[in-house]
Amino acid sequence: MTHVKPSSARLRLRFTRRFLLGTASVLTLLTAWVVLTMVTGTISTSRFPSPLQFWQSAKQIVTVGYADATLVGHALHSTRLVVIGFAVAVGIGVPLGLLMGWSRRAEALINPAFLVIRPIPPLAWIPLAILWLGLGDAAKIMVIFFAAFVPAVINTFTGVRAIEPPMIEAARMLGTGRWRLLIEILLPAAAPMIFTGLRLSLQASWTTLVAAELVGALAGLGRVLNMAQQDIYPAMVMVGMAAVGGLGWATTRLLAEVERRAMPWLPG
Amino acid sequence: MASPSQRPPSKLEVFVLGFIGLAGFVGLWLAASTSGYVPRQFLPTPFDVLARAIHLLTSPFAGATLPVHLARSLERYACGVALAAAIGVPLGLAMGWYRWLDDIVTPVFDGLRFIAPIAWVPFAALWFGTGIGGPIMIIFSGAFPPCLISAYRGARFVDSKYIEAAQMLGTSNLRTVAEVLLPASFPSIVAGLRVGAGLGWQSLVGAELIVASAGVGYMMVQGQSNISTPTVMAGMLAIGLVGLLIDVALRQMEARVRRRRGLA
């Protein structure tokens, strides 16, 4: 624990150490992976793939394809569904949250009905979505919608409610109209909370989509995982997981970049 | 607050509006399922769902009654969350105390964090089977990150004067972690446990939809393949209610901890 402000030399030392230890840690794990699966055989490759198998499976799905499509095809399919479901949920959820935050009466009217839907975990909608809409894209979009809708509403609502009343009173005293108040006061002031909601929505969208595709799908990364599980093909399972993680990371980064540009007044 | 020109609605008004909202919701649902445009088999009325839920309390479906399915789910859930807390909290505290441990674990943790818990399902089934082990691993992977992160943050933001005081008195590392860091970061840990418990419950549902052979999620999948929409909806009701109860209980625990610390 440092209680004195560290000097820049100490800080640099600390970063170097952090980098070295981090690299060493990852390298050790990778080496252990190679040695345990390929040299000593301590870990059976029928349960956990070797790096070589991982590489071969990755090559297979990228060039030849697996479960009826290449990796890019599956990834595009999943991404498209996440984008559609997320966009619909945010397009309805954020305005609804704004309305509920702005008007106590709208809140009183909508909240009890919303509270009925809210505690149901997104994944619990999957069987119902399959019953209603089958295994196609529509069922996935429905499930993603419910996953992304709840955090979008709650956080937008909280963001509007947290605005200090004097800010709104000042704007009103200056004769600001309703639309300008919404665009220039409410939205910017609630923006940090709205983006927190969007981040949670996006994560929930990915998780739910993967689960929905695992339960049953015609294409997508979850289907790759599902097929690989049925074929008892651990290396392909790992490739699927890596793709899920990579895409989840990429979309989160993308949203963070949007957030940074949308709110240039915030530090960092 | 937001619109100061508005008179805030009275309690009665809030109650009446809420009632109208709920009645509208239930009314629309009833109208849709009795109108005949949608087959009633696919959209049962709210009363059909309630009747089905009550029926399931005593008569078995998919091998067990609803309470037995719930008990099986809760058993796995408790094991998974307990495991996540038992590993995540000590590891998080230690990472907050020992910088080198932080430096070693963080890159690995960050690399795995973006993999959705549910994506572990194939490995969970392969390694631990579909009985109790597989679902526990999924619940664990859902509940673990919040446990670790909250303990870590709690330990990192402990007021340094407590640590200095302990160190000045010659307290050993282990005792400092156990007797200074752990109590000081307790509110943060409890908050993390609550988040973890929520995510664990969600992961449980997912795990049971895919790999289980009992539990509420399994009951819902069976209901789905038998085209028994009331069963599926009764399962959603049960999952929602239990999840709500868990959340309320943990929120109260958190509030109590915060009050005792004079934080609230």
Side-chain angles (χ1 to χ4, degrees):
Chain A
M1 283 281 151
T2 44
H3 44 281
V4 185
K5 206 172 181 187
S7 67
S8 70
R10 267 192 70 180
L11 216 61
R12 210 173 312 123
L13 190 72
R14 159 107 201 98
F15 278 122
T16 316
R17 212 183 62 159
R18 189 175 183 91
F19 176 74
L20 286 179
L21 273 174
T23 318
S25 152
V26 172
L27 282 180
T28 312
L29 269 184
L30 288 177
T31 318
W33 184 23
V34 173
V35 172
L36 290 178
T37 53
M38 295 174 72
V39 182
T40 62
T42 317
I43 299 175
S44 153
T45 48
S46 64
R47 294 183 149 241
F48 197 84
S50 71
L52 187 66
Q53 289 171 320
F54 177 77
W55 171 244
Q56 283 164 345
S57 308
K59 215 163 71 180
Q60 180 199 342
I61 193 170
V62 168
T63 54
V64 188
Y66 180 76
D68 306 325
T70 60
L71 185 64
V72 177
H74 286 299
L76 279 179
H77 186 86
S78 295
T79 311
R80 195 174 61 91
L81 291 179
V82 165
V83 169
I84 296 175
F86 176 73
V88 175
V90 168
I92 300 177
V94 170
L96 192 67
L98 285 173
L99 179 70
M100 284 167 68
W102 176 252
S103 156
R104 297 250 176 208
R105 285 183 181 75
E107 184 203 352
L109 185 69
I110 300 166
N111 209 25
F114 182 64
L115 285 179
V116 176
I117 298 191
R118 188 179 157 176
I120 300 171
L123 301 186
W125 290 94
I126 293 173
L128 193 64
I130 294 178
L131 254 179
W132 282 355
L133 301 165
L135 294 179
D137 293 351
K140 308 290 177 292
I141 293 173
M142 170 182 156
V143 172
I144 295 172
F145 171 81
F146 280 110
F149 179 67
V150 173
V153 174
I154 295 174
N155 286 283
T156 307
F157 170 76
T158 317
V160 175
R161 275 296 153 84
I163 300 172
E164 308 254 334
M167 193 136 91
I168 295 166
E169 282 158 22
R172 293 212 149 181
M173 208 179 66
L174 295 169
T176 316
R178 286 202 143 209
W179 278 109
R180 274 193 68 191
L181 199 67
L182 174 70
I183 304 284
E184 293 183 13
I185 310 284
L186 287 191
L187 272 179
M193 274 308 281
I194 295 179
F195 272 107
T196 304
L198 296 191
R199 222 171 20 232
L200 293 172
S201 291
L202 193 61
Q203 276 168 9
S205 299
W206 269 113
T207 308
T208 325
L209 176 70
V210 172
E213 287 180 345
L214 264 166
V215 176
L218 310 171
L221 293 174
R223 169 148 162 88
V224 173
L225 286 172
N226 194 10
M227 279 284 281
Q229 182 187 354
Q230 279 167 21
D231 292 350
I232 313 183
Y233 189 175
M236 194 57 89
V237 170
M238 208 167 169
V239 171
M241 286 173 70
V244 168
L247 269 180
W249 177 81
T251 39
T252 310
R253 285 297 314 153
L254 194 70
L255 189 66
E257 187 59 26
V258 172
E259 187 175 344
R260 203 176 60 79
R261 295 201 178 186
M263 299 186 293
W265 60 87
L266 287 187
Chain B
M1 172 267 3
S3 45
S5 69
Q6 278 181 10
R7 181 179 51 83
S10 66
K11 271 200 176 145
L12 178 74
E13 215 175 329
V14 169
F15 180 79
V16 170
L17 281 171
F19 187 78
I20 294 174
L22 260 185
F25 177 75
V26 175
L28 274 179
W29 181 356
L30 255 177
S33 55
T34 50
S35 67
Y37 288 117
V38 204
R40 183 122 168 221
Q41 189 186 9
F42 287 101
L43 186 61
T45 65
F47 307 110
D48 292 343
V49 174
L50 271 182
R52 180 70 186 158
I54 292 165
H55 179 72
L56 284 171
L57 287 181
T58 49
S59 53
F61 180 82
T65 61
L66 182 56
V68 174
H69 279 304
L70 264 178
R72 296 295 300 274
S73 298
L74 283 171
E75 182 190 344
R76 295 180 179 126
Y77 173 70
C79 291
V81 172
L83 201 63
I87 300 177
V89 171
L91 185 61
L93 282 178
M95 281 166 66
W97 179 246
Y98 298 107
R99 284 286 173 87
W100 57 267
L101 193 64
D102 181 11
D103 295 342
I104 288 174
V105 177
T106 298
V108 179
F109 180 71
D110 278 346
L112 294 176
R113 211 173 44 155
F114 280 97
I115 299 171
I118 217 71
W120 287 97
V121 160
F123 272 143
L126 186 63
W127 295 340
F128 300 107
T130 58
I132 187 162
I136 286 182
M137 181 180 154
I138 307 297
I139 299 160
F140 173 84
S141 59
F144 180 71
C147 291
L148 181 115
I149 293 172
S150 65
Y152 172 75
R153 291 222 174 114
R156 277 307 285 275
F157 295 120
V158 168
D159 195 336
S160 56
K161 65 173 178 266
Y162 296 133
I163 293 160
E164 283 159 28
Q167 286 189 325
M168 206 180 66
L169 295 167
T171 319
S172 69
N173 271 340
L174 197 65
R175 269 192 73 188
T176 314
V177 172
E179 293 179 18
V180 179
L181 235 49
L182 179 64
S185 48
F186 203 61
S188 167
I189 292 174
V190 174
L193 284 182
R194 186 170 65 76
V195 175
L199 288 175
W201 186 243
Q202 302 211 3
S203 310
L204 166 84
V205 175
E208 287 188 343
L209 291 179
I210 306 162
V211 294
S213 43
V216 191
Y218 177 72
M219 186 193 87
M220 288 167 71
V221 172
Q222 292 302 311
Q224 174 213 312
S225 42
N226 289 334
I227 319 189
S228 169
T229 317
T231 307
V232 172
M233 286 185 161
M236 290 169 74
L237 186 72
I239 286 170
L241 273 181
V242 174
L244 201 62
L245 284 180
I246 294 172
D247 191 56
V248 167
L250 289 174
R251 261 177 211 280
Q252 285 197 340
M253 193 173 99
E254 190 185 342
R256 194 173 303 163
V257 168
R258 290 182 70 88
R259 255 201 315 277
R260 201 177 296 160
R261 294 303 169 86
L263 286 168

